[in-house]
Amino acid sequence: MREIPGRRRRIRSRHGDGTPESVDAALTFATRWQWPVVPGVGLDARQPDRCACPDPDCTVPGAHPLDPGLLAATTDARMVRWWWTSRPGAPIVLATGGKAPCAVSLPALSAARALRALDRVGMRLGPVVASPTRWAILVQPYSMEQLGELLYAKDFVPGSLRFHGEGGYLALPPSRTGAGPIRWERAPLPGSASPWVPGVEAVVDAVVDALTRTGVSAPEF
């Protein structure tokens, strides 16, 4: 993985002990919540909107693992601390599925409208991860078979919905990727144990219903 010069000084938090914010966040995910994480490849230092990976047409710039790969994702505190102490500018990438949450994502504008509609009907949601272009609703782990059956039973599913399941990944706050800064739209409660997340069926049912009822046409990206 390519080192990004000069990032270390710029992203250090203002904590009195000088600990990088990314180290703190990665350790919280891995050790407190038991979410396996791995460093993302990051952005090209010479072209900050481009991925640092060798693919010039990368569709998720900066937001995917490269070296180490996704299979290296871990909850081991020593490895996590070493990774982000060595490369504190690296995005924090969650390996979705297994015992970790999965996610359902959709374009930011459609997501904002859908969340407002879900709030009005009292739908309980867990954490929501947001970039400037897409928001991801964290859900309980699901299998590909479960997802396939769920989608097959639907008369209509917006093509802009994406599913981050077993073998997938998702950049977590406070990462910065080619899509921009990653933040919490709905943050976990401070100091909590592993955050509660809803089941995928409830979320897909509610999101599809909200988009259909409100007449939101989710763009295909």
Side-chain angles (χ1 to χ4, degrees):
M1 185 184 301
R2 184 181 302 170
E3 183 68 30
I4 303 179
R7 295 287 289 177
R8 182 170 302 177
R9 288 192 299 274
R10 289 198 296 272
I11 72 163
R12 282 194 182 276
S13 71
R14 297 179 181 178
H15 296 175
D17 61 1
T19 303
E21 183 184 7
S22 53
V23 176
D24 291 349
L27 285 170
T28 294
F29 301 142
T31 62
R32 183 182 299 171
W33 298 351
Q34 291 296 294
W35 294 0
V37 294
V38 66
V41 64
L43 300 173
D44 191 317
R46 297 165 298 180
Q47 301 181 70
D49 59 336
R50 297 285 299 275
C51 190
C53 77
D55 182 1
D57 300 315
C58 181
T59 57
V60 284
H64 65 91
L66 180 64
D67 181 16
L70 186 64
L71 292 179
T74 185
T75 59
D76 181 79
R78 291 175 298 176
M79 181 58 72
V80 169
R81 186 180 297 277
W82 183 82
W83 275 337
W84 275 278
T85 300
S86 302
R87 296 200 60 245
I92 303 171
V93 175
L94 168 69
T96 54
K99 294 182 179 181
C102 294
V104 176
S105 72
L106 62 163
L109 179 60
S110 299
R113 292 173 176 171
L115 261 61
R116 288 196 294 270
L118 299 185
D119 287 342
R120 286 194 294 269
V121 299
M123 171 75 185
R124 183 187 179 192
L125 295 176
V128 177
V129 177
S131 77
T133 57
R134 294 189 73 86
W135 293 6
I137 302 171
L138 298 188
V139 298
Q140 295 173 12
Y142 57 79
S143 66
M144 290 299 102
E145 292 79 9
Q146 180 185 358
L147 179 64
E149 291 176 1
L150 171 61
L151 298 182
Y152 182 77
K154 295 288 180 192
D155 293 328
F156 166 75
V157 176
S160 57
L161 285 182
R162 294 179 187 168
F163 301 90
H164 308 257
E166 184 73 37
Y169 55 86
L170 182 71
L172 296 176
S175 303
R176 177 172 287 277
T177 71
I182 307 298
R183 61 178 178 82
W184 295 113
E185 174 62 27
R186 301 282 175 93
L189 294 176
S192 63
S194 185
W196 177 88
V197 293
V200 65
E201 182 172 0
V203 168
V204 171
D205 285 348
V207 167
V208 170
D209 182 63
L211 295 180
T212 302
R213 282 190 295 104
T214 57
V216 175
S217 178
E220 304 292 322
F221 65 89

